[in-house]
Amino acid sequence: MATMKAIEIKDGKGRLENLYIADIPRPKITGAQALVKVKAFGLNRMDLLQREGKYPVPPQAPRTLGVEFSGTIEELAGDSESEFKVGDAVFGLAYGGAYAEYIAVSTHMLVHKPDELSWEECAGIPEVYITALQAMYLIGEFEPGKSILWHAGASSVSIAGQQLSRVNGASEWYATARSDDKTDFCVKELGAKAAYNTKTTKWDEEVLKATDGKGVDIIVDFIGPDTFAANLNAIARDGRIVNLATLSGMKLKDTDADFGAFVRKRVRYEGSSLRSRDEKYQGKLRDQLVEHALPRFKDGSLRSIIEKVYPWEQIQEAHRQMEANLTKGKLVCIIS
């Protein structure tokens, strides 16, 4: 049986010290899959939760962590998309398995790597940009001229979302974060009209002031209970609030939320996820990435912003940096 090196978790779950490199069976491909030799993989907050046994992993996912990667195609199954050939440089999104030398992944979720981008840059694109596009277009019903606010503004998804807001014609975009350093980053580096420190300001009231009382058309939220009431205050009439995570917990506690806003403003408040979606749905999002973003990466108007690149032997240190919650960009590991 062919083997490969991959990052395993001692005892199946636990602290970052449980991560180590081991030999495991190389995956076999079927259907429309490709076997990709991984050059680099991106880290995501879900990886921390999965490592701790707190993430609902899809049944088709291998036990190995990691959902985004770049590399070269080693082998193709019989039903793979015809535009891909053995030897092609690609990047893509998978249900799991990217923390390894090889990954089995549907060709419906692969994208040809542009010559203009590095392996590391490409490994930091799929999860965050596809998630941002899903929030904007499929759920938020974004159109040019609409305004949008991105919570957790220095997170990788919101960094991608603010860039997409700019190049796809948002009238204006805003952000929130929990430090002045991060709010300054959103304004100075990403072009937000304003960004608000949620620890020191009533950000919803500031948004209403900045929009002459109208509010924003779309809010993309990762926080959950702690932003629920303020989201309803800051959203515009016929607005869309997209919830992608619940970083502040799972339960609504004491709240002064104005539930009348749902009727008065005709608000839609919708939750979503990406990893649990079927291959057809994810394939549509892959196509959106190719249509809305890939040409912009080639001409430089969109960037894959990398905070730090680690050799994969330092995976524990990479997880430690992500846990510190101080990053303003992607963490990426390379496999030598």
Side-chain angles (χ1 to χ4, degrees), residues 137-156:
Y137 284 93
L138 269 65
I139 305 170
E141 299 181 341
F142 174 82
E143 295 175 349
K146 287 190 174 183
S147 59
I148 186 166
L149 179 140
W150 296 88
H151 281 302
S155 68
S156 294

Side-chain angles (χ1 to χ4, degrees), residues 14-79:
R15 296 163 55 85
L16 61 87
E17 289 81 7
N18 285 23
L19 296 172
Y20 70 103
I21 295 178
D23 289 312
I24 68 171
R26 185 183 298 184
K28 297 179 180 180
I29 57 173
T30 61
Q33 289 184 319
L35 183 70
V36 176
K37 182 174 176 59
V38 178
K39 297 279 191 179
F41 59 84
L43 276 65
N44 292 281
R45 192 157 296 277
M46 75 177 80
D47 301 349
L48 307 183
L49 296 173
Q50 184 176 339
R51 189 199 74 214
E52 295 171 350
K54 299 176 181 178
Y55 189 92
V57 180
Q60 65 269 53
R63 70 172 184 262
T64 304
L65 299 171
V67 298
E68 59 182 349
F69 61 91
S70 61
T72 55
I73 294 177
E74 291 279 308
E75 185 183 344
L76 289 164
D79 296 328

Side-chain angles (χ1 to χ4, degrees), residues 23 58 74 77 104 129 232 257 265 275 291 297 304 312:
D23 289 312
E74 291 279 308
Y129 271 92
L232 289 174
K265 295 184 178 183
R275 194 175 180 185
E291 177 185 352
F297 283 112
S304 176
W312 77 322

Side-chain angles (χ1 to χ4, degrees), residues 48-171:
L48 307 183
L49 296 173
Q50 184 176 339
R51 189 199 74 214
E52 295 171 350
K54 299 176 181 178
Y55 189 92
V57 180
Q60 65 269 53
R63 70 172 184 262
T64 304
L65 299 171
V67 298
E68 59 182 349
F69 61 91
S70 61
T72 55
I73 294 177
E74 291 279 308
E75 185 183 344
L76 289 164
D79 296 328
S80 59
E81 290 188 5
S82 60
E83 64 183 274
F84 293 104
K85 309 297 181 188
V86 171
D88 282 355
V90 295
F91 64 96
L93 185 68
Y95 288 108
Y99 286 28
E101 289 183 312
Y102 294 89
I103 186 171
V105 59
S106 170
T107 51
H108 303 319
M109 291 309 296
L110 290 179
V111 179
H112 285 105
K113 173 186 172 295
D115 293 336
E116 294 87 349
L117 298 181
S118 68
W119 295 110
E120 294 87 350
E121 288 172 318
C122 286
I125 290 173
E127 168 68 16
V128 296
Y129 271 92
I130 287 177
T131 299
L133 285 165
Q134 178 198 31
M136 285 179 67
Y137 284 93
L138 269 65
I139 305 170
E141 299 181 341
F142 174 82
E143 295 175 349
K146 287 190 174 183
S147 59
I148 186 166
L149 179 140
W150 296 88
H151 281 302
S155 68
S156 294
V157 173
S158 286
I159 288 172
Q162 289 172 79
Q163 293 186 73
L164 289 166
S165 300
R166 171 175 51 82
V167 301
N168 287 312
S171 59

Side-chain angles (χ1 to χ4, degrees), residues 232-295:
L232 289 174
N233 191 34
I235 196 69
R237 180 171 291 178
D238 293 315
R240 302 288 183 259
I241 302 171
V242 185
N243 181 261
L244 300 178
T246 57
L247 295 177
S248 64
M250 303 299 290
K251 301 291 185 180
L252 275 176
K253 303 180 179 68
D254 294 337
T255 178
D256 59 352
D258 176 12
F259 275 72
F262 281 105
V263 176
R264 186 174 66 255
K265 295 184 178 183
R266 301 189 293 267
V267 174
R268 180 187 298 169
Y269 205 126
E270 184 171 344
S272 189
S273 63
L274 177 59
R275 194 175 180 185
S276 62
R277 299 286 191 168
D278 63 30
E279 192 174 295
K280 183 178 180 180
Y281 181 93
Q282 290 195 359
K284 290 180 181 178
L285 290 169
R286 187 278 308 264
D287 295 342
Q288 275 201 327
L289 175 68
V290 172
E291 177 185 352
H292 289 287
L294 194 60

